[in-house]
Amino acid sequence: MTTFLILAALVILIALGLPVAVSLGLTAVGFYVLLGEFRILAMLPQRMFSATTGFTLLAIPFFILAGTLMNTGGITERIFRFANACVGHLRGGLGQVNVLASLFFSGMSGAAVADAAGLGQVELKAMADKGYDPDFSAAITAASSTIGPVFPPSIPFVLYASITGVSVERLFLAGVVPGVLMAVALMGAVWIVAYRHQMPRADHIDWLEIWQSFRGAILSLLTPIIIIGGIFGGVFTPTEAGVAASAYAMFLSMVIYKEIALRDLPAIFWSTLQHTIRVMFVIAAAGFFGWLLVHQRVPDALVKSLVSLSDNPAAIMAIVVAILLVLGMFLEGIAVIVLTVPLFAPVMQGIGVDPLQFGVIMIMCSMLGLLTPPVGMVLFAVASIADMPVSRLARALVPYLVGLALVLMLVVSVPAVSTWLPQVVAGR
């Protein structure tokens, strides 16, 4: 009953339109007041502060900064040109480019909204100039941006690691194969849609353009190699990798490409600060809310309830995935992670699911939520950029959601998809 009341109160506050962070905090405060635990309430500032001071979480603002610098420093345009040279000749042309460019960009920013807002503008303009259908252009731009948080580096993986204590390095490796499979599934969906509508394709591969665009983008494409190589080479930690990515992006943008001047930095830093504050506020409030859950033994009650429904691990996994997908329709990805990981991680551990596999499943479910109404952040961001109704974009997204859902089902049913590479590279 306590579990039901806590979750019901949270849902009601969110339904009333309060921000997720405020809803989390008010729910926790309200229950401690009802319980008469005023001594615990006095520790509210400390709990909220301690929830945001993990060393791992320092990676978040730096990866956000790296993404902002890449969007404003000419890096995204060079990535898009190289992707266009590589796959622009396939059926669907710029739709395929859209997916490949997002895969390249995801290895640098780790954020879906950064991809949609930055690289997405470049992609939408290029597709509009070539006469592509606006629905097709906006839908694949939104869908492809969800690759970023799955393919390393990944801001949600950093957050998941800070909550569970799982190795960030191994989580990054766990996201490689699923991220590539997401790109393959989306490119397949683009080919099917393009074939049905007889979209144009280039007659041949322009090898000269591939070489020239590669030369222009090579320094940008080195970013994920520097990040991942530096982590596993012992040069820096995952947190320090965010600093390295930001420093490298700033060097490219200001010294090599000369797209950013000193006078542009205050606006870039301010944008990064605003985004970071929004994320950290949710994490801080979730820290106190999570303390309430532990205090009231909600995770234990949830584990018993799910196990009582079925003793089949596959059935329990299906129930958890369904809950995550439904929550993703109403909450932003960060909120889903901080709210549900403390609840479901013990459940997954109890049925023998690898934390790496569950981490990938969790992030993929939250990414699907970014594309679904009523609160999908990427859905609204791309609809705003493309100047079209959200409902229209949601309908156009259906083929790509099917492709992403198939990859999610594969990750759920075949653990090796997410656990094989960490075992090969980092051992058990």
Side-chain angles (χ1 to χ4, degrees):
M1 179 59 70
T2 302
T3 301
F4 174 78
L5 290 175
I6 291 174
L7 297 180
L10 177 63
V11 170
I12 290 171
L13 290 176
I14 293 173
L16 290 174
L18 291 177
V20 172
V22 176
S23 300
L24 289 167
L26 282 180
T27 301
V29 170
F31 267 86
Y32 279 127
V33 169
L34 291 175
L35 294 170
E37 298 280 1
F38 298 103
R39 183 170 54 87
I40 294 180
L41 281 179
M43 300 178 67
L44 170 62
Q46 177 188 354
R47 297 303 304 180
M48 293 185 71
F49 175 74
S50 63
T52 62
T53 54
F55 180 70
T56 304
L57 293 177
L58 281 174
I60 293 177
F62 287 107
F63 279 125
I64 292 174
L65 174 60
T68 306
L69 288 167
M70 291 168 193
N71 285 333
T72 56
I75 295 175
T76 55
E77 289 85 354
R78 288 169 172 82
I79 292 172
F80 184 80
R81 181 188 171 191
F82 176 61
N84 187 29
C86 290
V87 297
H89 62 283
L90 299 177
R91 177 73 69 180
L94 289 181
Q96 307 286 6
V97 174
N98 199 315
V99 177
L100 188 61
S102 291
L103 182 63
F104 288 154
F105 187 77
S106 67
M108 305 173 198
S109 72
V113 177
D115 187 335
L119 185 60
Q121 295 188 53
V122 177
E123 294 165 338
L124 286 172
K125 183 180 183 303
M127 296 179 81
D129 292 343
K130 293 292 185 179
Y132 279 80
D133 178 66
D135 291 14
F136 172 77
S137 303
I140 190 56
T141 297
S144 65
S145 68
T146 60
I147 299 172
V150 178
F151 194 85
S154 164
I155 291 174
F157 275 154
V158 171
L159 181 56
Y160 177 87
S162 73
I163 297 172
T164 61
V166 178
S167 164
V168 178
E169 295 95 327
R170 293 174 66 86
L171 277 169
F172 280 2
L173 287 173
V176 172
V177 175
V180 172
L181 290 176
M182 289 171 69
V184 171
L186 290 176
M187 292 180 80
V190 166
W191 189 90
I192 293 171
V193 173
Y195 184 81
R196 287 180 57 191
H197 293 86
Q198 291 299 301
M199 293 183 183
R201 57 181 294 182
D203 294 332
H204 62 280
I205 301 176
D206 189 340
W207 293 104
L208 179 60
E209 171 61 13
I210 290 178
W211 169 244
Q212 291 177 341
S213 62
F214 175 74
R215 286 200 308 170
I218 180 60
L219 294 178
S220 302
L221 296 172
L222 284 175
T223 307
I225 298 175
I226 292 173
I227 294 172
I228 304 301
I231 291 173
F232 287 97
V235 179
F236 39 67
T237 66
T239 300
E240 293 164 348
V243 180
S246 297
Y248 186 64
M250 186 175 294
F251 173 75
L252 289 183
S253 302
M254 298 184 69
V255 179
I256 304 299
Y257 301 148
K258 301 187 187 318
E259 299 274 353
I260 294 178
L262 282 175
R263 64 178 178 273
D264 300 319
L265 290 180
I268 292 172
F269 291 151
W270 178 245
S271 175
T272 301
L273 180 62
Q274 288 178 308
H275 195 166
T276 302
I277 288 173
R278 287 194 292 270
V279 173
M280 289 300 181
F281 186 29
V282 174
I283 294 172
F288 192 65
F289 182 79
W291 203 28
L292 170 67
L293 297 180
V294 173
H295 184 264
Q296 296 300 308
R297 299 184 179 275
V298 172
D300 295 339
L302 187 63
V303 170
K304 292 178 181 177
S305 299
L306 287 175
V307 171
S308 67
L309 291 175
S310 173
D311 57 0
N312 186 339
I316 295 175
M317 173 69 85
I319 294 171
V320 171
V321 169
I323 294 172
L324 291 175
L325 290 173
V326 171
L327 287 176
M329 297 173 67
F330 298 93
L331 301 175
E332 61 179 351
I334 295 295
V336 172
I337 294 169
V338 297
L339 176 61
T340 59
V341 168
L343 292 173
F344 291 141
V347 176
M348 294 297 102
Q349 184 178 3
I351 62 175
V353 174
D354 192 302
L356 296 177
Q357 181 190 10
F358 181 59
V360 175
I361 292 170
M362 166 71 70
I363 305 310
M364 290 189 68
C365 287
S366 65
M367 289 307 99
L368 285 172
L370 291 177
L371 300 175
T372 54
V375 192
M377 289 178 63
V378 168
L379 185 70
F380 280 89
V382 175
S384 176
I385 296 169
D387 193 23
M388 68 170 53
V390 172
S391 57
R392 178 177 158 190
L393 176 56
R395 287 193 298 271
L397 270 167
V398 171
Y400 311 106
L401 285 172
V402 170
L404 294 174
L406 290 174
V407 177
L408 173 61
M409 291 172 60
L410 182 63
V411 173
V412 170
S413 57
V414 184
V417 173
S418 53
T419 61
W420 171 76
L421 191 59
Q423 290 172 358
V424 170
V425 176
R428 293 185 178 274

